[in-house]
Amino acid sequence: MEFELTQVYSCPRCQMDTPHFVMARRGDRVGVECSQCHTSSLVNQDELNDHQFQWEEELRQILNSLEDHIPEE
């Protein structure tokens, strides 16, 4: 997975899945900042990638279920 400027992560302070700004990287650790409450967190890269993947997968499922409910013309 390529690094993005933001990645969705569950903020330990505001308890929301929000975009987090990637601030720094060192080895397998990533420093991120919550876009909602500006709390900084130090996260393992694999954990961040897993959370982003799960969030994207959930979003895909929601969008697919909406497509199933669109009437055909």
Side-chain angles (χ1 to χ4, degrees), residues 30 36-37 44 57 63:
V30 181
Q36 181 73 25
C37 69
N44 181 290
E57 184 59 33
L63 292 174

Side-chain angles (χ1 to χ4, degrees), residues 5-70:
L5 296 177
T6 62
Q7 287 192 261
V8 175
Y9 187 66
S10 183
C11 179
R13 182 172 183 205
C14 66
Q15 302 296 309
M16 296 179 64
D17 284 347
T18 61
H20 278 63
F21 301 106
V22 175
M23 307 301 284
R25 299 178 198 106
R26 177 177 274 172
D28 65 344
R29 298 283 187 193
V30 181
V32 294
E33 181 180 282
C34 177
S35 63
Q36 181 73 25
C37 69
H38 304 290
T39 296
S40 297
S41 299
L42 187 60
V43 183
N44 181 290
Q45 181 64 56
D46 290 338
E47 181 181 351
L48 190 61
N49 289 345
D50 288 346
H51 195 85
Q52 178 77 24
F53 176 78
Q54 290 172 357
W55 184 83
E56 288 174 359
E57 184 59 33
E58 184 176 333
L59 183 58
R60 265 191 287 281
Q61 290 173 4
I62 291 169
L63 292 174
N64 287 338
S65 72
L66 291 175
E67 287 177 354
D68 293 342
H69 291 70
I70 296 174

